[in-house]
């Protein structure tokens, strides 16, 4: 509920098929710093201006707790495909003290030093995957998303969480569907049911056979009430769901998009080889240019919020969606070249990991996985090319997940 004029503008309907991320971002920005959008039938304010978005992400008057602060929830959103995104009980949807309590149980496990110590394990998994794809017959396209980009993150998070190997395919399938915005309400509800059955199986398994992993520590926090205030059974399941899904889908997109960016911008790959650019430059610019999570639902105003510079008022109870991708590629942040992949730009500022109290817990891990995946891939297959034209790559069916359905490549085109 902003000014009368903005109020009158019809909401922009977010494209559930994610067919034109760049075009939709441009359309969102063209409507101003914040604009009304239709999110699979629910109304929200999309914030595209980077400065305003950053300020609102820091604003304690904005909550992520739908249970307490979204009047539409749950009565009006039972038939909404994104009900799981807003209804879960974990740090992602918690506010204030509750958020601090839930985040404290997880964040230390992903702290910088622990992640650095994980490097040999990440390299070992990466080496195994490279050996596995290297078995492809010469000249046969290999789907790098399916066989490389998607496998490394789930195996790393599986290692940290103590996921039994035979649970991994079920998690991959159901987590992919959590991010698919073309599912009907019934399909999404069925997937949610499936997911909880898988999570419950994991908790049952780990209760019987505890290990030195985060799942076991969270179960102990639940069962002994000893770690920072305890957890309800629902919070336990939903925290496992969050860490496994956030630690997987997003990083897959980052690796997928970075490989694609390099194969379509060979001059930057050459600059890496001369030392003019680093793998960190590539990863950071990919995060900026192709935000793995382009739009992040939802936040809610806990009171009327008058925006600076007469940008309007967000009324109490209104929903807000963070338009990370549109903000990252906003000319206000990166000038006229904002839409271009340029890892040499000195300032690669972006909001792809969020900002403020809900900022991503796994940013260090994601960066480490992506730089390792790229460095080792291009060392092993220096002449790697796309097996199809870049224009034939198809986007994932989603406005929440920014990657490709497949990434077919030729590992050794020179041998074909
Ligand atoms: C490229 C990879 C990743 C991207 C782009 C990404 C993106 C994000 C974003 C945008 C948020 C903030 C959500 C908001 O606006 O409220 C977030 C939160 C979170 N991320 Fe990540 N993430 C990535 C990798 C990971 C990994 C590897 C983990 C592993 C643990 C992880 C765990 C989390 C958790 C637990 C939160 C919730 C934090 C909170 O609400 O306090 N993420 N992530």
């Amino acid at each position: 509920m902003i000014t009368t004029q903005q109020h009158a503008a019809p909401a922009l309907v977010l494209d559930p098929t994610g067919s034109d991320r760049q075009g939709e971002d441009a359309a969102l920005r063209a409507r101003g710093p914040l604009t009304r959008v239709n999110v699979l039938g629910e109304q929200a304010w999309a914030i595209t201006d980077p400065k305003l978005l950053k300020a609102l992400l820091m604003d304690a008057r904005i909550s992520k707790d739908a249970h307490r602060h979204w009047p539409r929830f749950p009565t009006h959103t039972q038939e909404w495909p994104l009900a799981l995104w807003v209804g879960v009980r974990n740090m992602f949807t918690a506010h204030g003290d509750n958020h601090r309590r839930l985040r404290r149980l997880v964040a230390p496990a992903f702290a910088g030093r622990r992640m650095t110590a994980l490097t040999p394990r990440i390299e070992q998994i990466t080496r195994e995957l490279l050996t596995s794809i290297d078995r492809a017959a010469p000249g046969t396209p290999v789907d790098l998303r399916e066989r490389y980009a998607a496998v490394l993150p789930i195996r790393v998070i599986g290692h940290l969480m103590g996921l039994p190997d035979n649970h991994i395919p079920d998690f991959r399938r159901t987590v992919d569907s959590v991010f698919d915005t073309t599912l009907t309400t019934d399909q999404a509800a069925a997937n949610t049911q499936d997911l909880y059955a898988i999570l419950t199986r994991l908790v049952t398994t780990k209760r019987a056979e505890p290990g030195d992993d985060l799942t076991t520590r969270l179960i102990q926090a639940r069962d002994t009430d000893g770690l920072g205030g305890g957890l309800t059974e629902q919070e336990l399941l939903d925290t496992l769901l969050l860490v496994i899904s956030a630690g997987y889908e997003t990083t897959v997109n980052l690796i997928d998009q970075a490989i694609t960016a390099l194969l379509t911008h060979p001059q930057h790959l050459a600059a890496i080889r001369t030392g003019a650019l680093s793998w960190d430059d590539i990863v950071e610019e990919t995060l900026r240019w192709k935000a793995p999570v382009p739009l992040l639902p939802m936040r809610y105003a806990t009171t009327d919020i008058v925006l600076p510079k007469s940008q309007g008022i967000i009324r109490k109870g209104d929903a807000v969606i963070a338009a990370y991708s549109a903000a990252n590629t906003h000319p206000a942040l990166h000038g006229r070249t904002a839409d271009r992949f340029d890892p040499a730009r000195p300032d690669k500022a972006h909001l792809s990991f969020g900002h403020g109290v809900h900022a991503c817990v796994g940013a260090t891990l994601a960066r480490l996985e992506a730089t390792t995946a790229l460095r080792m891939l291009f060392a092993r297959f220096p002449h790697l090319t796309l097996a199809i034209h870049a224009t034939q790559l198809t986007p994932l069916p989603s406005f929440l997940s920014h990657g490709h359905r497949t990434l077919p490549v030729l590992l050794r085109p020179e041998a074909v």
Side-chain angles (χ1 to χ4, degrees):
M1 292 179 210
I2 310 289
T3 60
T4 323
Q5 197 189 5
Q6 279 175 302
H7 211 27
L12 186 147
V13 180
L14 296 180
D15 172 14
T17 68
S19 65
D20 179 12
R21 183 68 269 135
Q22 209 174 340
E24 186 166 272
D25 287 344
L28 286 167
R29 281 194 302 264
R31 293 162 61 108
L34 76 168
T35 186
R36 272 155 53 83
V37 287
N38 178 319
V39 189
L40 301 181
E42 286 297 322
Q43 300 286 313
W45 294 111
I47 318 290
T48 58
D49 179 84
K51 214 166 161 187
L52 179 62
L53 178 54
K54 228 169 154 178
L56 289 177
L57 293 172
M58 297 285 286
D59 195 322
R61 295 170 298 173
I62 300 260
S63 160
K64 287 190 80 180
D65 188 342
H67 296 270
R68 284 163 64 198
H69 299 122
W70 197 22
R72 303 274 312 155
F73 184 85
T75 321
H76 301 282
T77 49
Q78 271 157 0
E79 297 296 305
W80 193 46
L82 300 186
L84 179 69
W85 278 76
V86 301
V88 282
R89 300 276 193 179
N90 57 35
M91 75 184 95
F92 188 75
T93 51
H95 187 55
D97 287 345
N98 209 25
H99 173 256
R100 281 186 282 278
R101 172 180 66 88
L102 293 166
R103 186 168 166 120
R104 243 195 329 256
L105 291 169
V106 170
F110 295 93
R113 242 176 318 129
R114 282 182 193 238
M115 293 302 99
T116 311
L118 204 60
T119 306
R121 179 85 185 122
I122 295 177
E123 288 178 346
Q124 184 200 336
I125 297 171
T126 307
R127 213 170 293 119
E128 285 170 20
L129 296 178
L130 289 169
T131 301
S132 154
I133 58 175
D134 207 0
R135 292 196 195 106
T140 314
V142 171
D143 180 357
L144 271 192
R145 177 158 176 117
E146 170 67 22
R147 297 196 47 196
Y148 189 65
V151 194
L152 176 62
I154 195 78
R155 286 206 35 204
V156 173
I157 203 73
H159 167 71
L160 290 168
M161 302 300 287
L163 299 188
D165 284 348
N166 62 346
H167 289 213
I168 284 183
D170 284 341
F171 274 115
R172 274 188 68 181
R173 178 176 45 79
T174 45
V175 168
D176 281 346
S177 293
V178 169
F179 282 81
D180 183 342
T181 46
T182 63
L183 297 190
T184 63
T185 303
D186 285 350
Q187 287 169 326
N191 188 60
T192 298
Q193 215 177 359
D194 214 358
L195 195 46
Y196 278 111
I198 296 163
L199 288 163
T200 305
R201 176 165 71 120
L202 173 64
V203 170
T204 307
T205 306
K206 300 302 287 188
R207 272 202 172 108
E209 293 168 38
D212 180 15
D213 52 59
L214 184 55
T215 304
T216 301
R217 288 197 291 282
L218 289 168
I219 290 171
Q220 283 163 357
R222 156 75 184 139
D223 292 350
T224 65
D225 200 20
L227 294 175
L231 284 172
T232 65
E233 193 70 14
Q234 190 68 49
E235 286 170 343
L236 169 63
L237 293 174
D238 289 354
T239 299
L240 293 172
L241 162 60
L242 171 65
V243 178
I244 295 167
S245 57
Y248 163 60
E249 185 85 16
T250 50
T251 315
V252 179
N253 288 341
L254 174 58
I255 298 172
D256 161 358
Q257 295 284 11
I259 295 171
T260 309
L262 283 172
L263 295 182
T264 51
H265 299 77
Q267 72 277 24
H268 299 313
L269 195 52
I272 296 223
R273 289 179 176 141
T274 64
L277 285 177
S278 68
W279 293 112
D280 290 341
D281 289 326
I282 302 298
V283 167
E284 228 42 43
E285 176 66 350
T286 306
L287 281 162
R288 185 197 71 80
W289 189 51
K290 300 280 175 190
V293 185
L295 290 141
L296 202 286
M298 290 285 210
R299 288 174 154 79
Y300 321 96
T302 59
T303 180
D304 287 357
I305 299 177
V306 180
L307 302 177
K309 296 189 203 153
S310 309
Q311 289 176 111
I313 302 172
I314 301 179
R315 295 282 178 205
K316 179 177 178 178
D318 280 2
V320 169
I321 186 164
Y324 289 129
S325 172
N328 287 349
T329 47
H330 201 297
L333 197 57
H334 293 290
R336 277 182 302 159
T337 65
D339 252 339
R340 198 181 299 160
F341 178 69
D342 178 9
R345 73 175 75 239
D347 177 8
K348 295 184 258 293
H350 63 76
L351 289 167
S352 287
F353 287 122
H355 185 72
V357 292
H358 287 278
C360 181
V361 160
T364 306
L365 175 58
R367 287 180 167 120
L368 183 59
E369 287 180 35
T371 47
T372 307
L374 295 175
R375 175 172 53 79
M376 293 180 66
L377 175 71
F378 284 97
R380 180 97 162 224
F381 306 111
H383 303 297
L384 186 73
T385 56
L386 284 175
I388 56 175
H389 194 271
T391 53
Q392 291 174 296
L393 293 171
T394 46
L396 290 172
S398 179
F399 56 72
L400 302 174
S401 185
H402 195 192
H404 303 104
R405 286 175 192 254
T406 61
L407 185 58
V409 299
L410 293 172
L411 299 174
R412 291 199 174 83
E414 73 278 15
V416 176

